[in-house]
Amino acid sequence: GEMEKIALFLKQLINITGIKILPYHKYADAKYAAIDRANTLPHTVPTDEEIKMAQEIFCAHGLTVL
């Protein structure tokens, strides 16, 4: 999947010392409403299980997850 591809890409970069996984959030909703614009960002927030799965994928590729 996409996380696998991201992990493979990051593994190639020699200056990466650690990765922080930051999930989508809904903070932008109010900002878009304030400027009367449509929010085209994803409306789903990942579950704790999905975040843990992403961490496991990065760790499996030898990347340090902070």
Side-chain angles (χ1 to χ4, degrees), residues 3-5 8 10-11 16 18 24 27 29 34 37-38 42 44 49 52 55-56 59-60 64-66:
M3 285 296 141
E4 192 79 26
K5 291 176 186 176
L8 290 170
L10 293 175
K11 189 174 178 178
I16 299 294
Y24 280 119
Y27 300 149
D29 285 346
R37 302 285 282 193
T44 59
E49 185 176 303
K52 184 171 176 51
Q55 290 172 334
E56 290 172 359
C59 287
T64 301
V65 178
L66 306 173

Side-chain angles (χ1 to χ4, degrees), residues 2-21:
E2 291 300 312
M3 285 296 141
E4 192 79 26
K5 291 176 186 176
I6 293 168
L8 290 170
F9 172 74
L10 293 175
K11 189 174 178 178
Q12 296 175 30
L13 304 176
I14 60 172
N15 59 342
I16 299 294
T17 58
I19 299 168
K20 288 185 180 181
I21 298 175

Side-chain angles (χ1 to χ4, degrees), residues 37-63:
R37 302 285 282 193
N39 182 355
T40 59
L41 297 172
H43 293 285
T44 59
V45 176
T47 64
D48 290 342
E49 185 176 303
E50 291 169 321
I51 293 170
K52 184 171 176 51
M53 187 171 34
Q55 290 172 334
E56 290 172 359
I57 290 169
F58 290 133
C59 287
H61 284 281
L63 298 162

